[in-house]
């Protein structure tokens, strides 16, 4: 389970009545879905982000991006260290943030700032098999599901909330589904979400 | 099939050699690695070959395989089949290059250039992706081969279709591609212009289909089987696949649909626009060759892959006599292949069907041929550096022209091979 480091900063603003909400994402056959991003909108509105977004990183190691999915708040800066012995040419043509980084072998420090919410698919122009996604969230309640398919949130304000579940290969418009959750005033609460995934694309041959 | 006391002894020797290879296999896990730059790879392949049946076309026979029997028993060969050095890496940002050289057993050039090209891949500005390539290369027809050295993973012998692409359809050209995502998948189109492929079709016209892994080099010749009396006066018993004879460019186009499901469908059309009356001083002729290839790659599960290709085309060479050129050949072939991975092993099976129909003025129906083959292979990844592949191939073909050599028109051949591929 990964929760933003900036999440605790919000606690000051959270109302007194609050609960812990765990969202469990599964396939129809019950298998957990890791790497799904769950965002929570109490009262249907984004929970305000903190002032200090923290440090985020997508490494290139063994010709792969790591992590495969990264959740960051709007305004975050992400570093792209290259630990490989070969060059990488990281890019995204996403309207959320279009960029291109020419990274020499074992090059450590390059940063990109993400000022708009949305999905930023990443690729390497040299290695077609390298794929990753940055989910730039506009709500403080944003987390990626762990290997058990679980994302948990503490201090969720009581009342009606909207939970969105996004996964790069989720079979739904914009790769996202939305559920309504009635968050209790206190205690631990679980919310199950069942999704269907497409098979991940296998890179075709370059020539 | 293999039978008889002598054959039994030879087969036993082969099994013993194979066992020795298997016994020494753990040693390959700890091979010294050459301190090569990251973009450079070297590979050497040792081969143990057990074959019966007729002599190979590379040895003056009509055999369908690179290795042939003596015609009256079993032949065993232990050969360093292939050694190759490949450089594949970035030349500049957005520009990559590849150069592959290889030394192959049985080729006339000790070392030859296999591929050399530059590929321009600008960073996409939108979901539409553009790329271009120029140099000497095989156009993307084979679903079995991969990499600049054009290797077949998991098997030794490619299908009849891709054996022919490997020996005759390498060109010097330029191609442009555009790819766009569609419905969770991708559609890509490629168009290419080329030269230096005017003799493509000579092997199909004179020999017909074959099953082998010998790839043509830039300066190599390929042997032809015995020619009839007339053709012996017009063509030496070899062909130069990378050759420009008529100064007319050819073209090809390719459409690929990579579906949201793990299915890729391809259609490829090739026309070399060869002048069938063009001839070089050493009697290499232009062949007017065109073909359509349809391909499908399906991954029903994470460890299973199914490949299928169907190729149909025509070729013609020489002058017209009575409305027919000297050689006019219609050729067709298809294969269905399945590969299943279990841990470090991969099990493959393939069925090939092929035929050629001759209607030229200097060849007769006797030169037509039909045949089929079944291939089974077990590949075992011993380490990151060493792969052991065992393969059995049965090929059966019927061609009347064999009678010219006093052979039965229908011939069957079995080839058992063990390959050790070592990456240094």
């Amino acid at each position: 389970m990964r929760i933003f480091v900036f999440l605790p900063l919000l606690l000051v603003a959270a109302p007194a009545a609050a609960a812990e909400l765990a969202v469990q994402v599964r396939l129809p056959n019950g298998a957990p879905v890791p790497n799904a991003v769950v965002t929570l909108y109490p009262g249907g509105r984004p929970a305000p982000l903190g002032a200090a977004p923290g440090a985020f990183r997508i490494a290139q190691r063994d010709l792969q991006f790591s992590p495969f999915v990264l959740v960051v708040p709007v305004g975050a800066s992400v570093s792209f260290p290259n630990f490989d012995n070969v060059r990488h040419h990281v890019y995204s043509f996403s309207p959320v943030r279009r960029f291109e980084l020419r990274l020499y072998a074992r090059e450590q420090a390059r940063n990109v700032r993400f000022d708009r919410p949305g999905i930023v698919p990443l690729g390497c122009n040299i290695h077609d098999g390298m794929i990753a996604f940055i989910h730039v969230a506009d709500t403080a309640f944003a987390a990626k599901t762990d290997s058990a398919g679980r994302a948990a949130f503490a201090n969720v304000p009581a009342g009606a909330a909207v939970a969105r579940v996004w996964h790069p290969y989720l079979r739904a418009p914009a790769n996202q589904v939305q559920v309504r959750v009635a968050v209790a005033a206190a205690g631990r609460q679980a919310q199950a979400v069942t999704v269907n995934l497409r098979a991940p694309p296998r890179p075709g041959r370059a020539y | 099939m293999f039978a008889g006391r002598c054959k039994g002894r030879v087969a036993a020797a082969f099994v013993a050699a194979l066992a020795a290879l298997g016994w020494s296999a753990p040693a390959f896990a700890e091979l010294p690695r050459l301190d090569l730059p990251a973009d450079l790879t070297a590979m050497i392949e040792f081969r143990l070959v057990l074959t019966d049946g007729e002599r190979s076309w590379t040895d003056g026979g009509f055999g369908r395989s690179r290795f042939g029997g003596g015609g009256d028993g079993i032949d065993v060969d232990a050969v360093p089949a292939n050694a190759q050095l490949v450089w594949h890496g970035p030349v500049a940002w957005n520009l990559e290059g590849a150069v592959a050289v290889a030394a192959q057993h049985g080729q006339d050039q000790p070392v030859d250039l296999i591929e050399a090209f530059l590929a321009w891949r600008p960073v996409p500005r939108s979901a539409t992706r553009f790329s271009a390539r120029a140099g000497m290369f095989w156009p993307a027809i084979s679903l079995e081969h991969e990499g600049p050295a054009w290797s077949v993973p998991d098997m030794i012998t490619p299908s009849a279709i891709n054996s022919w692409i490997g020996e005759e359809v390498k060109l010097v050209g330029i191609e442009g591609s555009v790819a766009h995502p569609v419905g969770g998948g991708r559609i890509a189109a490629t168009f290419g212009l080329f030269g230096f492929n005017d003799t493509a079709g000579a092997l199909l016209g004179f020999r017909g289909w074959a099953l082998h892994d010998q790839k043509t080099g830039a300066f190599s010749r390929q042997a032809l089987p015995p020619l009839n009396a007339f053709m012996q006066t017009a063509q030496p018993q070899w062909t130069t696949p990378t050759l420009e004879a008529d100064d007319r460019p050819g073209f090809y186009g390719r459409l690929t649909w990579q579906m949201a499901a793990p299915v890729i469908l391809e259609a490829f059309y090739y026309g070399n626009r060869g002048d069938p009356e063009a001839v070089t001083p050493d009697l290499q002729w232009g062949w007017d060759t065109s073909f359509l290839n349809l391909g499908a790659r399906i991954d029903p599960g994470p460890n299973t892959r199914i490949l299928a290709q169907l190729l149909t085309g025509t070729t013609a060479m020489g002058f017209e006599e009575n409305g027919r050129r000297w050689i006019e050949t219609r050729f067709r072939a298809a294969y269905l292949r399945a590969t299943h991975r279990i841990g470090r092993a991969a099990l493959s099976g393939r069925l090939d069907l092929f035929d050629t129909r001759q209607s030229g003025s200097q060849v007769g129906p006797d030169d037509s041929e039909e045949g089929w083959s079944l291939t089974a292979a077990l590949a075992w990844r011993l380490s990151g550096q060493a792969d052991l592949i065992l393969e059995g191939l049965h090929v059966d073909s019927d061609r009347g022209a064999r009678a010219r050599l006093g052979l039965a028109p229908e011939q069957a051949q079995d080839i058992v091979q063990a390959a050790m591929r070592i990456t240094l």
Side-chain angles (χ1 to χ4, degrees), chain A residues 66-115:
Chain A
S66 176
F68 171 57
V69 171
L70 178 72
V71 195
V72 303
V74 169
S77 188
V78 177
S79 72
F80 290 86
N82 178 9
F83 296 108
D84 281 332
N85 286 326
V86 296
R87 296 198 270 187
H88 291 302
H89 195 170
V90 182
Y91 71 89
S92 180
F93 53 76
S94 165
V96 173
R97 181 72 168 89
R98 184 175 298 171
F99 71 95
E100 177 183 342
L101 284 181
R102 297 174 170 190
L103 295 160
Y104 289 93
R106 296 200 170 276
E107 184 168 320
Q108 294 296 321
R110 295 287 196 97
N111 290 280
V112 178
R113 193 178 148 93
F114 296 89
D115 285 322

Side-chain angles (χ1 to χ4, degrees), chain A residues 85-89 91-93 98-100 102-104 124-128 198-199 201-207, chain B residues 38 90 93-94 96 117 119 121-127 129 133 140-143 254 258 266 297 299 301-302 305:
Chain A
N85 286 326
V86 296
R87 296 198 270 187
H88 291 302
H89 195 170
Y91 71 89
S92 180
F93 53 76
R98 184 175 298 171
F99 71 95
E100 177 183 342
R102 297 174 170 190
L103 295 160
Y104 289 93
C124 172
N125 197 40
I126 301 170
H127 307 100
D128 281 339
R198 297 187 298 273
R202 297 197 190 185
R205 52 199 174 148
Y207 311 112
Chain B
W93 299 105
N94 297 335
E96 65 181 53
F117 60 81
R121 285 155 52 86
V123 166
R125 301 285 163 204
S126 69
R129 169 148 218 164
R133 179 160 71 137
I141 299 168
S142 172
L143 292 172
R254 173 172 166 249
Q258 186 168 352
E266 296 194 343
R297 188 184 98 177
D299 294 337
R305 173 161 290 181

Side-chain angles (χ1 to χ4, degrees), chain B residues 261-299:
Chain B
V263 176
I264 297 178
L265 300 178
E266 296 194 343
F268 182 99
Y269 183 81
Y270 166 106
N272 71 352
R273 298 175 64 245
D275 175 359
E277 297 176 8
V279 60
T280 66
D282 51 0
L283 297 181
Q284 297 294 298
W285 292 78
W287 290 69
D288 184 10
T289 300
S290 60
F291 64 83
L292 173 71
N293 176 77
L294 302 174
R297 188 184 98 177
I298 303 166
D299 294 337

